[in-house]
Amino acid sequence: MHRSAAPSVPRSAISLVAAGLLGALGCAAAPARPQQPAPAMPAAASAPDTPLQAQYRAVADRIIAAALPDSAAWVKLARITDTYGNRLAGSEALERALDDILRTMQQEGLENAHAEPVMVPHWVRGEESAELVEPRRQALPMLGLGGSVGTPRGGITAEVLVVSTFDELTRRAAEARGKIVLFDEVWQGYGRTVQYRGGAAVAAARVGAVAALIRSVTPFPLRTPHTGAMYYDSAVARIPGAALTVEDAMMLHRMQDRGQHVVVHLEMAAQMLPDSPSRNVMGEIRGSEHPEEVVVIGGHTDSWDVGQGAMDDMGGVVVSWEAVRLLQRLGLRPRRTLRVVGWVNEENGTRGGQGYRDAHRDQLPNHVLAIETDGGVFRPTGFGFTGTDSAMALVRQIGGLLRRLGADSITRGGGGTDIGPITQVGVPSMGLNDDGTRYFWYHHTNADTPDKLDPREMAQCVAAMAVMAYVVADMPERLPWGTGTGAR
Ligand SMILES: [Zn+2]
């Protein structure tokens, strides 16, 4: 986690995704990080503007001034997420939301607004429940993990073995056969702890367990279960996987420590249906001089099948979209094309990101920069960047134009799951960083709703995205291509 060149800023989960380490788990956004001032960057307030900054200072200030009083991003987010609700790949709600986004982009006059088809996995949760049976009866709030198989009809009733870590399960493997294994793993940051969500079922099946439960992956327990992707290994049996709340995982652990016999009944009707047609949606401001060169920005339109998928990640889609809309309204047409994309299926397949790479493979050498926003659209602090050293030097200068927003911290290593496939090809990539303190309180839960997001903070995100995307799309010198030392 701590390989970042910027010592006081934890290397984000986004940069791990860009490095291909977390992509399979879906939705690995910026981790919660302590609230502290951004580290000082070379372009301090007192430093004179570089020629690039001098060239773009006035227009950047104009973009920021227009963005800040504008609540359009939050209003659009609330309208879409209230109207369609959550949007798991394969769901009708997702397709209706995509129809709306595309129609709205066309009505707004974005150029070349269109959809590009991709096939997506279609997992359905079905009815599900968990109940503590011994030492006393109590319903346990739970969410099946995305991609899990269901239980046999009638459910599974079994004794529970609680462990804290994979290592503890290895030591106690002889006790696990025929039981439900519960991983009561302590939050150590998203990138580390999410390995339990992803790998619990495989680890438990390997030692003969009949189901796997995890303590929800969150630093802040509110007795809400958090779902998310899990995976199977063809070498071991596919057993059901589900998340309990932090509170209940800790209680079951205490019961076991007292020597009590803990029994749980688990019922899940989850199943995987055949792949389903879906799409990436996009619109543009065409470049005035180099329309074939593209700066692409966006987020993912799909979400888990709980809550409203507001911060994860319709907020990211809308902030990127409104950044382009703002430039359109200000009459700012950059030299290069600026494209906003709503990628699909980030959460449980990354088919949107892969499909975009495949559909645009010939044009990727002309993709000047990709920026993803998938960390909650709270107060922006800057960007993480994956690119060459010479590109980094330019991006840091542009970051200096965001100082009045407090969004001028440009750290090494950044991107996102949806742009990961084109980062791997060599497209310089960036992720918007924000104050992620509250993000994982709500992540993948029924509480991911638009009221958690602040219209003013979203407007700040719009401003930061618009300035960064506009200057890179317009500056005379093209951003050097390649991912340099920051990738892979
Ligand atoms: Zn996400």
Side-chain angles (χ1 to χ4, degrees):
M1 281 294 286
H2 295 278
R3 287 176 290 146
S4 171
S8 62
V9 178
R11 186 180 171 89
S12 75
I14 282 179
S15 58
L16 291 174
V17 167
L21 299 175
L22 281 179
L25 295 175
C27 224
R33 60 181 70 81
Q35 279 183 300
Q36 58 187 10
M41 285 294 137
S46 55
D49 274 357
T50 65
L52 181 67
Q53 288 171 331
Q55 186 180 351
Y56 286 101
R57 174 75 63 187
V59 71
D61 286 348
R62 192 175 149 219
I63 291 168
I64 293 167
L68 292 186
D70 188 348
S71 59
W74 188 88
V75 169
K76 189 179 263 184
L77 167 74
R79 182 185 70 76
I80 293 173
T81 58
D82 287 348
T83 303
Y84 304 105
N86 58 59
R87 305 165 306 281
L88 187 59
S91 68
E92 193 189 331
L94 171 62
E95 295 310 309
R96 292 181 59 217
L98 294 177
D99 287 341
D100 185 316
I101 292 169
L102 191 56
R103 189 170 60 239
T104 306
M105 282 183 174
Q106 287 163 345
Q107 285 165 355
E108 291 168 347
L110 288 189
E111 294 163 276
N112 196 22
H114 71 284
E116 296 177 354
V118 287
M119 294 297 288
V120 295
H122 188 187
W123 178 80
V124 291
R125 173 178 306 282
E127 290 290 310
E128 59 180 17
S129 64
E131 187 189 15
L132 180 63
V133 176
E134 291 182 36
R136 64 180 174 86
R137 295 193 89 95
Q138 179 191 300
L140 300 171
M142 58 80 78
L143 281 172
L145 297 178
S148 177
V149 297
T151 58
R153 193 176 294 274
I156 292 170
T157 303
E159 187 177 346
V160 175
L161 171 67
V162 188
V163 296
S164 297
T165 62
F166 290 128
D167 286 345
E168 185 182 354
L169 181 62
T170 301
R171 288 196 301 275
R172 303 181 67 173
E175 300 170 59
R177 182 156 301 278
K179 291 184 185 166
I180 296 172
V181 169
L182 164 60
F183 290 93
D184 180 31
E185 76 285 356
V186 174
W187 168 268
Q188 296 186 68
Y190 187 72
R192 289 190 62 168
T193 309
V194 76
Q195 294 174 47
Y196 285 88
R197 192 187 76 208
V202 169
R206 198 170 279 140
V207 292
V210 293
L213 298 173
I214 61 161
R215 163 172 163 161
S216 285
V217 180
T218 179
F220 194 77
L222 290 163
R223 207 150 186 252
T224 41
H226 295 235
T227 190
M230 58 165 281
Y231 58 82
Y232 287 117
D233 179 336
S234 57
V236 295
R238 294 179 168 230
I239 62 172
L244 299 183
T245 66
V246 171
E247 290 88 340
D248 289 338
M250 294 175 79
M251 179 181 73
L252 267 51
H253 206 163
R254 291 193 300 271
M255 288 171 166
Q256 174 178 283
D257 288 348
R258 288 184 201 107
Q260 289 174 299
H261 188 68
V262 179
V263 176
V264 162
H265 177 72
L266 181 68
E267 267 189 80
M268 295 169 61
Q271 56 177 322
M272 191 68 84
L273 301 175
D275 283 2
S276 174
S278 190
R279 359 176 210 158
N280 293 325
V281 291
M282 60 201 77
E284 295 176 347
I285 299 176
R286 296 283 286 170
S288 60
E289 282 183 26
H290 304 290
E292 75 288 358
E293 294 181 358
V294 177
V295 170
V296 61
I297 69 175
H300 64 88
T301 53
D302 65 307
S303 73
W304 281 106
D305 57 339
V306 293
Q308 290 176 227
M311 66 186 73
D312 188 12
D313 177 33
M314 190 54 74
V317 173
V318 166
V319 157
S320 305
W321 180 2
E322 285 304 303
V324 173
R325 284 269 293 147
L326 177 64
L327 298 172
Q328 181 196 40
R329 279 210 310 283
L330 293 173
L332 292 168
R333 181 180 293 278
R335 288 183 171 88
R336 304 178 185 84
T337 294
L338 185 51
R339 177 180 298 156
V340 55
V341 179
W343 286 280
V344 77
N345 185 221
E346 188 271 355
E347 297 291 1
N348 62 338
T350 327
R351 302 276 186 87
Q354 294 164 11
Y356 184 89
R357 174 199 60 203
D358 296 343
H360 297 266
R361 198 176 274 283
D362 295 345
Q363 302 142 26
L364 293 181
N366 268 331
H367 273 54
V368 172
L369 176 67
I371 312 178
E372 178 150 3
T373 303
D374 188 15
V377 293
F378 296 99
R379 181 180 58 76
T381 58
F383 294 87
F385 178 62
T386 300
T388 65
D389 289 346
S390 54
M392 184 67 162
L394 288 165
V395 164
R396 283 213 158 120
Q397 290 180 56
I398 301 168
L401 300 173
L402 300 171
R403 191 172 188 86
R404 56 182 282 202
L405 283 174
D408 55 331
S409 167
I410 309 293
T411 54
R412 196 171 277 287
T417 306
D418 299 290
I419 62 176
I422 64 174
T423 309
Q424 295 292 330
V425 175
V427 176
S429 293
M430 201 179 257
L432 179 69
N433 287 334
D434 65 357
D435 171 12
T437 305
R438 288 168 288 155
Y439 184 68
F440 287 105
W441 301 3
Y442 311 114
H443 182 248
H444 297 181
T445 73
N446 276 307
D448 181 357
T449 49
D451 51 281
K452 309 301 188 308
L453 293 161
D454 179 344
R456 288 163 302 180
E457 292 184 346
M458 287 188 70
Q460 292 166 7
C461 291
V462 170
M465 290 289 284
V467 169
M468 180 59 72
Y470 176 75
V471 177
V472 173
D474 191 67
M475 63 186 184
E477 181 185 354
R478 187 186 145 156
L479 194 71
W481 205 75
T483 47
T485 53
R488 307 188 197 199

